[in-house]
Amino acid sequence: QVQLVQSGAEVKKPGSSVKVSCKASGGTFSSYTISWVRQAPGQGLEWMGRIIPILGIANYAQKFQGRVTITADKSTSTAYMELSSLRSEDTAVYYCARDTAMVTGDYWGQGTLVTVSS
Amino acid sequence: QSALTQPASVSGSPGQSITISCTGTSSDVGGYNYVSWYQQHPGKAPKLMIYDVSNRPSGVSNRFSGSKSGNTASLTISGLQAEDEADYYCSSYTSSSIVVFGGGTKLTVL
């Protein structure tokens, strides 16, 4: 049974960075990609980027280019999303999701609330 | 890349059918058969309901169906039930090799 377990909630100051982890189990980590999707309070889903763990190659939505870094550690089946230069508008629940072939999000993590506040 | 366009809300009575549209461009919805639909209940993670325009993952009720015509994809829910009340989102692969979501549709079961 596939499970994605994310790290806990974070409170950050404006201008700082946050790194959220997503540990996968129940599948072959290297045979799929991991996307990161965020959802601001009361808002819709927003795709941030994804990584192909077996290759270590990531691509990002233009909106987040230069501010987000997605990485993966094959040895621990864990993906990471780091967002820098945080501002209040980055307050959101951040989800990791498994992608299979061209299907985004056949399994999702439980979400991690990141609050940016001074 | 702009978000896909969905109606903000739809509603229907139990037992009825409803359809939610998702409009994009020839660079996303119209160009690829990689449209997915997700259901999200309050405070929960999204759940994949339809992938590749019209395929249902194992365990998803056959009351949910998907289709596409040109640049518009659609999700139809037949035999509405109270538990179908949720937010629904579409997504599509794009020519930029990224994914774009729709703005979401709130389904109310009257």
Side-chain angles (χ1 to χ4, degrees):
Chain A
Q1 182 179 351
V2 176
Q3 272 198 310
L4 301 175
V5 179
Q6 299 182 221
S7 49
E10 303 260 14
V11 179
K12 293 293 183 180
K13 299 285 189 189
S16 67
S17 298
V18 68
K19 191 170 186 176
V20 181
S21 67
C22 169
K23 184 172 176 59
S25 61
T28 305
F29 188 65
S30 297
S31 65
Y32 47 81
T33 63
I34 296 286
S35 280
W36 286 89
V37 177
R38 78 176 187 180
Q39 186 170 37
Q43 302 300 308
L45 302 175
E46 186 172 31
W47 188 84
M48 301 178 69
R50 70 169 151 228
I51 188 164
I52 306 171
I54 195 171
L55 299 176
I57 295 173
N59 67 317
Y60 306 110
Q62 188 171 8
K63 174 177 179 176
F64 300 101
Q65 286 274 5
R67 253 197 342 132
V68 68
T69 304
I70 297 174
T71 56
D73 182 341
K74 295 192 298 285
S75 68
T76 59
S77 298
T78 302
Y80 300 90
M81 185 284 300
E82 183 170 22
L83 187 63
S84 62
S85 302
L86 290 170
R87 35 212 190 226
S88 58
E89 310 90 90
D90 294 318
T91 293
V93 175
Y94 289 77
Y95 292 102
C96 62
R98 191 187 83 161
D99 306 336
T100 303
M102 302 304 292
V103 181
T104 299
D106 57 354
Y107 289 92
W108 293 69
Q110 82 276 20
T112 296
L113 176 62
V114 175
T115 303
V116 183
S117 174
S118 55
Chain B
Q1 188 79 41
S2 300
L4 306 176
T5 300
Q6 297 182 231
S9 63
V10 298
S11 62
S13 299
Q16 287 187 331
S17 294
I18 63 94
T19 296
I20 299 171
S21 61
C22 170
T23 301
T25 69
S26 58
S27 296
D28 39 64
V29 174
Y32 306 92
N33 288 325
Y34 298 135
V35 175
S36 296
W37 290 91
Y38 310 84
Q39 177 191 65
Q40 186 181 34
H41 287 111
K44 301 293 188 183
K47 175 186 176 184
L48 181 69
M49 305 300 284
I50 296 286
Y51 67 95
D52 293 352
V53 175
S54 60
N55 294 306
R56 275 188 313 276
S58 174
V60 171
S61 170
N62 59 9
R63 298 185 298 104
F64 291 82
S65 62
S67 62
K68 189 184 85 166
S69 177
N71 295 338
T72 299
S74 299
L75 172 71
T76 297
I77 308 174
S78 59
L80 267 182
Q81 299 180 0
E83 65 256 34
D84 299 332
E85 184 162 296
D87 293 326
Y88 290 85
Y89 295 90
C90 61
S91 76
S92 176
Y93 180 77
T94 77
S95 58
S96 303
S97 300
I98 64 169
V99 174
V100 63
F101 281 96
T105 298
K106 181 177 180 59
L107 168 62
T108 301
V109 180
L110 302 169

